[in-house]
Amino acid sequence: DGADFDVVYDTWGSVPAQVFHVAVRADGTSATAPAQRTFSLVQSTAPDLAWTGSEYGLFARSVDAGATGVIAFGRLDGSGAPGGGPWTVTPGTLDADAPSVAWTGSDWGVAYLAPAAGGTQAVHFLRVASDGTILTADWELSAGDASGARPSVVWRSREFSVAYVESGGLYVAAID
């Protein structure tokens, strides 16, 4: 209705770290109680949320026992209740983290961090359908060390722009 904002956050530092959703009024007070929207019982962190016009896409790092981190995706209805998923959208071998998402009107663009050669991190990008189907190959965008800063992705009506920090410099990649 335009009066509330929907927020996701993690409880990093608590064991286990989990993801929660809450609606917040314009004056900063809670419109709903926090509701757990976690994809893993072991750990879920670094959530990002985007609105499609009718529902939300929630992407977060998910870790299960003995596994590396993956980016998981689930749909939330307009009130924040689970509406589908979760689906794993990154290869489990990457130890993915820090997703950023944007909606095109028909699918999702997801930028995230994953380990690169030499112990650094690289920025990756892929596209995901609303049913969790991976639409493109995973692309590694950065060539240097992108450690420590979450990438940011936006949809610009005909292409994605992914901004990220690499080896101390700011970079922007345009993706059709």
Side-chain angles (χ1 to χ4, degrees):
D1 63 10
D4 296 338
F5 301 91
D6 287 82
V7 177
V8 289
Y9 63 93
D10 64 43
T11 57
W12 185 252
S14 65
V15 178
Q18 300 297 317
V19 171
F20 287 83
H21 167 269
V22 65
V24 179
R25 294 183 188 95
D27 67 4
T29 60
S30 293
T32 62
Q36 188 171 336
R37 298 293 178 252
T38 298
F39 302 137
S40 166
L41 297 176
V42 175
Q43 183 183 71
S44 285
T45 58
D48 198 18
L49 185 72
W51 178 248
T52 68
S54 62
E55 65 182 2
Y56 293 97
L58 171 61
F59 290 75
R61 181 174 198 257
S62 181
V63 178
D64 286 315
T68 59
V70 297
I71 303 302
F73 158 57
R75 295 190 327 252
L76 304 179
D77 68 18
S79 68
W87 299 280
T88 298
V89 298
T90 58
T93 57
L94 286 179
D95 199 19
D97 197 4
S100 176
V101 301
W103 175 251
T104 68
S106 61
D107 60 87
W108 299 97
V110 185
Y112 61 95
L113 295 175
T120 62
Q121 286 189 308
V123 175
H124 291 251
F125 179 85
L126 54 79
R127 290 178 81 158
V128 178
S130 63
D131 67 358
T133 303
I134 299 169
L135 299 174
T136 62
D138 177 81
W139 300 326
E140 186 172 324
L141 302 179
S142 57
D145 184 8
S147 298
R150 179 185 214 147
S152 180
V153 63
V154 296
W155 174 247
R156 299 181 53 229
S157 75
R158 67 180 193 284
E159 69 184 7
F160 290 98
S161 291
V162 179
Y164 57 95
V165 174
E166 178 183 306
S167 302
L170 178 63
Y171 294 84
V172 178
I175 303 167
D176 294 344

